[in-house]
Each structure stands twice: as C-alpha cells, then as structure tokens.
Amino acid sequence: MRKPQRGYARQDRVKEQIMRELAELVRVGLKDPRAGFITINEVEVTRDYSHATVYYTVLDDSTRAITEEALEQARGYLRSELARRITLFRTPELTFVYDDSLERGMSISHLIDKVAKEKPIED
C-alpha cells in the first residue's frame, strides 16, 4: 500500500527554490549585456536532481537568439551560484528552453476573438 501524499512533495519545493534563485541570479547576477529582460516561467527537475530544464521568455522577441546564447554561456556560472545558494546532494545541470506557450495562448485567444466577431452567438 502506498503512503498517502503529503501536501507538498520535496521535488516541488526544490523546483520552486531553484526557480526563485535562478530568477534572482538572472536579474542581478548576470553582467552580460546580451541577457536582456528574461523571465523564468517554469523549472522541471528530474527525480534524482541531476538535470533541470528551465523554461524562460524574453520581453523583446527580436533578442531571443542573443539571449539564448548568453544563457548558454552563463550556464556554468548560474549552476555554481545555484550550488552556493541551495544545499542539495547534487546540483542539477541546467538546460534552457525558450517557452513559447504564452505566444501560443495569445494566438489562440486572438483566433477565438476573431471567430466570435465573425459569428455572433445565437440564443
């Protein structure tokens, strides 16, 4: 028989802590001018905490490629700073992935609005 799940799993707490620390490090710690306004949206951590996938967005979509390069170059620095701030048996390897879910949501919303204007709802 499985133990009942308590409110908040350790993996979720670690994920949230990594997300908070990375957001702070990207905001304050990165001195690279290529790293513009970056927002950390989500972090997924493997069960053994060896890998973390960091989903981010940028304010200006035209700087997306430059920001990706800056994050890839800063990956080692961010991981070492994360290791100083969070006590874990293993500090995860960081993988940065651009999160386009907000853009997809906006386009779907735009399409729904467009269809709603074309065909009014009949009662």
Side-chain angles (χ1 to χ4, degrees), residues 47-63:
R47 293 184 74 184
D48 63 351
Y49 305 119
S50 62
H51 296 288
T53 305
V54 181
Y55 296 95
Y56 70 95
T57 56
V58 291
L59 185 62
D60 185 12
D61 197 40
S62 64
T63 63

Side-chain angles (χ1 to χ4, degrees), residues 107-121:
S107 66
I108 290 172
S109 176
H110 177 69
L111 290 173
I112 291 172
D113 291 343
K114 184 177 174 182
V115 170
K117 286 180 183 176
E118 291 175 359
K119 184 176 180 183
I121 299 174

